[in-house]
PDB file of all heavy atoms in Angstrom:
ATOM      1  N   THR A  25      30.867  35.557 -34.301  1.00 97.00           N
ATOM      2  CA  THR A  25      31.531  36.814 -33.855  1.00 97.00           C
ATOM      3  C   THR A  25      30.588  38.035 -33.632  1.00 97.00           C
ATOM      4  O   THR A  25      29.760  38.258 -34.449  1.00 97.00           O
ATOM      5  CB  THR A  25      32.511  37.196 -35.102  1.00 97.00           C
ATOM      6  OG1 THR A  25      33.247  36.089 -35.485  1.00 97.00           O
ATOM      7  CG2 THR A  25      33.389  38.353 -34.638  1.00 97.00           C
ATOM      8  N   LEU A  29      28.220  47.872 -35.328  1.00 98.00           N
ATOM      9  CA  LEU A  29      27.802  48.740 -36.351  1.00 98.00           C
ATOM     10  C   LEU A  29      27.972  50.207 -35.984  1.00 98.00           C
ATOM     11  O   LEU A  29      27.459  50.595 -34.920  1.00 98.00           O
ATOM     12  CB  LEU A  29      26.384  48.440 -36.781  1.00 98.00           C
ATOM     13  CG  LEU A  29      26.030  47.080 -37.228  1.00 98.00           C
ATOM     14  CD1 LEU A  29      24.514  46.837 -37.386  1.00 98.00           C
ATOM     15  CD2 LEU A  29      26.688  46.728 -38.627  1.00 98.00           C
ATOM     16  N   GLY A  87      30.825  56.661 -39.628  1.00 98.00           N
ATOM     17  CA  GLY A  87      31.101  55.391 -38.918  1.00 98.00           C
ATOM     18  C   GLY A  87      32.276  54.584 -39.487  1.00 98.00           C
ATOM     19  O   GLY A  87      33.091  53.985 -38.710  1.00 98.00           O
ATOM     20  N   VAL A  95      40.588  50.514 -35.661  1.00 98.00           N
ATOM     21  CA  VAL A  95      41.697  49.641 -36.149  1.00 98.00           C
ATOM     22  C   VAL A  95      43.009  50.155 -35.799  1.00 98.00           C
ATOM     23  O   VAL A  95      43.954  49.487 -35.425  1.00 98.00           O
ATOM     24  CB  VAL A  95      41.495  49.407 -37.654  1.00 98.00           C
ATOM     25  CG1 VAL A  95      42.706  48.640 -38.208  1.00 98.00           C
ATOM     26  CG2 VAL A  95      40.196  48.626 -37.977  1.00 98.00           C
ATOM     27  N   ALA A  98      43.403  49.611 -31.945  1.00 98.00           N
ATOM     28  CA  ALA A  98      43.237  48.280 -31.358  1.00 98.00           C
ATOM     29  C   ALA A  98      43.043  47.266 -32.457  1.00 98.00           C
ATOM     30  O   ALA A  98      42.019  46.546 -32.393  1.00 98.00           O
ATOM     31  CB  ALA A  98      42.081  48.313 -30.296  1.00 98.00           C
ATOM     32  N   GLU A 100      44.123  44.386 -32.946  1.00 97.00           N
ATOM     33  CA  GLU A 100      44.056  42.945 -32.533  1.00 97.00           C
ATOM     34  C   GLU A 100      42.641  42.625 -32.205  1.00 97.00           C
ATOM     35  O   GLU A 100      42.288  41.418 -32.072  1.00 97.00           O
ATOM     36  CB  GLU A 100      45.000  42.764 -31.286  1.00 97.00           C
ATOM     37  CG  GLU A 100      44.647  43.432 -30.088  1.00 97.00           C
ATOM     38  CD  GLU A 100      44.863  44.899 -29.913  1.00 97.00           C
ATOM     39  OE1 GLU A 100      45.406  45.465 -30.943  1.00 97.00           O
ATOM     40  OE2 GLU A 100      44.455  45.556 -28.912  1.00 97.00           O
ATOM     41  N   LYS A 101      41.776  43.627 -31.805  1.00 97.00           N
ATOM     42  CA  LYS A 101      40.409  43.320 -31.432  1.00 97.00           C
ATOM     43  C   LYS A 101      39.524  43.169 -32.577  1.00 97.00           C
ATOM     44  O   LYS A 101      38.355  42.639 -32.400  1.00 97.00           O
ATOM     45  CB  LYS A 101      39.875  44.366 -30.489  1.00 97.00           C
ATOM     46  CG  LYS A 101      40.618  44.453 -29.152  1.00 97.00           C
ATOM     47  CD  LYS A 101      39.953  45.451 -28.161  1.00 97.00           C
ATOM     48  CE  LYS A 101      40.600  45.477 -26.823  1.00 97.00           C
ATOM     49  NZ  LYS A 101      39.851  46.404 -25.859  1.00 97.00           N
ATOM     50  N   LEU A 108      31.807  51.103 -45.412  1.00 98.00           N
ATOM     51  CA  LEU A 108      30.696  51.434 -46.397  1.00 98.00           C
ATOM     52  C   LEU A 108      30.689  52.922 -46.628  1.00 98.00           C
ATOM     53  O   LEU A 108      30.527  53.700 -45.735  1.00 98.00           O
ATOM     54  CB  LEU A 108      29.349  50.953 -45.848  1.00 98.00           C
ATOM     55  CG  LEU A 108      29.035  49.453 -45.875  1.00 98.00           C
ATOM     56  CD1 LEU A 108      30.080  48.573 -45.304  1.00 98.00           C
ATOM     57  CD2 LEU A 108      27.638  49.305 -45.231  1.00 98.00           C
ATOM     58  N   PRO A 112      39.017  57.261 -46.492  1.00 97.00           N
ATOM     59  CA  PRO A 112      40.199  57.070 -45.608  1.00 97.00           C
ATOM     60  C   PRO A 112      41.036  58.407 -45.479  1.00 97.00           C
ATOM     61  O   PRO A 112      42.094  58.345 -44.653  1.00 97.00           O
ATOM     62  CB  PRO A 112      40.959  56.013 -46.274  1.00 97.00           C
ATOM     63  CG  PRO A 112      40.737  56.246 -47.698  1.00 97.00           C
ATOM     64  CD  PRO A 112      39.341  56.697 -47.877  1.00 97.00           C
ATOM     65  N   GLY A 151      15.770  56.711 -55.941  1.00 80.00           N
ATOM     66  CA  GLY A 151      14.961  55.476 -55.925  1.00 80.00           C
ATOM     67  C   GLY A 151      13.535  55.775 -55.305  1.00 80.00           C
ATOM     68  O   GLY A 151      13.287  56.880 -54.899  1.00 80.00           O
ATOM     69  N   SER A 177      31.040  67.213 -36.386  1.00 96.00           N
ATOM     70  CA  SER A 177      31.579  68.175 -37.435  1.00 96.00           C
ATOM     71  C   SER A 177      33.069  68.359 -37.137  1.00 96.00           C
ATOM     72  O   SER A 177      33.913  68.421 -38.005  1.00 96.00           O
ATOM     73  CB  SER A 177      30.795  69.417 -37.502  1.00 96.00           C
ATOM     74  OG  SER A 177      29.470  69.184 -37.930  1.00 96.00           O
ATOM     75  N   ASP A 194      45.222  42.973 -42.029  1.00 96.00           N
ATOM     76  CA  ASP A 194      45.356  41.782 -42.825  1.00 96.00           C
ATOM     77  C   ASP A 194      44.299  40.733 -42.517  1.00 96.00           C
ATOM     78  O   ASP A 194      44.434  39.494 -42.699  1.00 96.00           O
ATOM     79  CB  ASP A 194      46.698  41.196 -42.578  1.00 96.00           C
ATOM     80  CG  ASP A 194      46.993  40.751 -41.209  1.00 96.00           C
ATOM     81  OD1 ASP A 194      46.162  41.072 -40.328  1.00 96.00           O
ATOM     82  OD2 ASP A 194      47.968  40.106 -40.964  1.00 96.00           O
ATOM     83  N   LEU A 200      32.451  48.612 -49.594  1.00 98.00           N
ATOM     84  CA  LEU A 200      31.110  48.633 -50.358  1.00 98.00           C
ATOM     85  C   LEU A 200      30.667  50.114 -50.450  1.00 98.00           C
ATOM     86  O   LEU A 200      30.869  50.850 -49.512  1.00 98.00           O
ATOM     87  CB  LEU A 200      30.149  47.832 -49.537  1.00 98.00           C
ATOM     88  CG  LEU A 200      28.669  47.668 -50.102  1.00 98.00           C
ATOM     89  CD1 LEU A 200      28.171  46.347 -49.636  1.00 98.00           C
ATOM     90  CD2 LEU A 200      27.782  48.765 -49.546  1.00 98.00           C
ATOM     91  N   GLY A 202      27.420  52.531 -52.664  1.00 96.00           N
ATOM     92  CA  GLY A 202      26.375  52.787 -53.609  1.00 96.00           C
ATOM     93  C   GLY A 202      26.973  53.377 -54.924  1.00 96.00           C
ATOM     94  O   GLY A 202      27.834  54.244 -54.907  1.00 96.00           O
ATOM     95  N   GLU A 214      37.766  52.225 -54.359  1.00 98.00           N
ATOM     96  CA  GLU A 214      38.787  51.455 -55.097  1.00 98.00           C
ATOM     97  C   GLU A 214      40.161  51.668 -54.400  1.00 98.00           C
ATOM     98  O   GLU A 214      40.948  50.744 -54.370  1.00 98.00           O
ATOM     99  CB  GLU A 214      38.865  51.983 -56.567  1.00 98.00           C
ATOM    100  CG  GLU A 214      37.630  51.552 -57.408  1.00 98.00           C
ATOM    101  CD  GLU A 214      37.632  52.147 -58.729  1.00 98.00           C
ATOM    102  OE1 GLU A 214      38.277  53.237 -58.952  1.00 98.00           O
ATOM    103  OE2 GLU A 214      36.923  51.578 -59.639  1.00 98.00           O
ATOM    104  N   LEU A 219      44.307  49.255 -50.864  1.00 98.00           N
ATOM    105  CA  LEU A 219      45.129  49.326 -49.608  1.00 98.00           C
ATOM    106  C   LEU A 219      44.990  48.149 -48.728  1.00 98.00           C
ATOM    107  O   LEU A 219      46.012  47.697 -48.149  1.00 98.00           O
ATOM    108  CB  LEU A 219      44.772  50.673 -48.826  1.00 98.00           C
ATOM    109  CG  LEU A 219      45.142  51.951 -49.462  1.00 98.00           C
ATOM    110  CD1 LEU A 219      44.497  53.119 -48.766  1.00 98.00           C
ATOM    111  CD2 LEU A 219      46.647  52.195 -49.441  1.00 98.00           C
ATOM    112  N   ALA A 231      21.602  52.707 -55.494  1.00 95.00           N
ATOM    113  CA  ALA A 231      21.905  53.345 -54.114  1.00 95.00           C
ATOM    114  C   ALA A 231      22.903  54.414 -54.271  1.00 95.00           C
ATOM    115  O   ALA A 231      23.834  54.411 -55.155  1.00 95.00           O
ATOM    116  CB  ALA A 231      22.497  52.228 -53.226  1.00 95.00           C
ATOM    117  N   THR A 243      22.962  44.907 -50.056  1.00 98.00           N
ATOM    118  CA  THR A 243      23.910  45.235 -49.053  1.00 98.00           C
ATOM    119  C   THR A 243      23.933  44.184 -47.890  1.00 98.00           C
ATOM    120  O   THR A 243      25.154  43.798 -47.467  1.00 98.00           O
ATOM    121  CB  THR A 243      23.533  46.590 -48.441  1.00 98.00           C
ATOM    122  OG1 THR A 243      23.439  47.574 -49.411  1.00 98.00           O
ATOM    123  CG2 THR A 243      24.540  47.055 -47.381  1.00 98.00           C
ATOM    124  N   LEU A 247      27.278  41.814 -46.746  1.00 98.00           N
ATOM    125  CA  LEU A 247      27.733  41.752 -45.331  1.00 98.00           C
ATOM    126  C   LEU A 247      27.692  40.308 -44.812  1.00 98.00           C
ATOM    127  O   LEU A 247      28.528  39.876 -44.095  1.00 98.00           O
ATOM    128  CB  LEU A 247      26.813  42.659 -44.494  1.00 98.00           C
ATOM    129  CG  LEU A 247      27.158  44.201 -44.615  1.00 98.00           C
ATOM    130  CD1 LEU A 247      26.025  44.960 -44.003  1.00 98.00           C
ATOM    131  CD2 LEU A 247      28.460  44.614 -44.136  1.00 98.00           C
TER     132      LEU A 247
END
Side-chain angles (χ1 to χ4, degrees):
T25 312
L29 298 171
V95 171
E100 71 284 356
K101 294 186 175 184
L108 282 54
S177 296
D194 61 354
L200 180 149
E214 292 171 337
L219 290 168
T243 301
L247 289 167

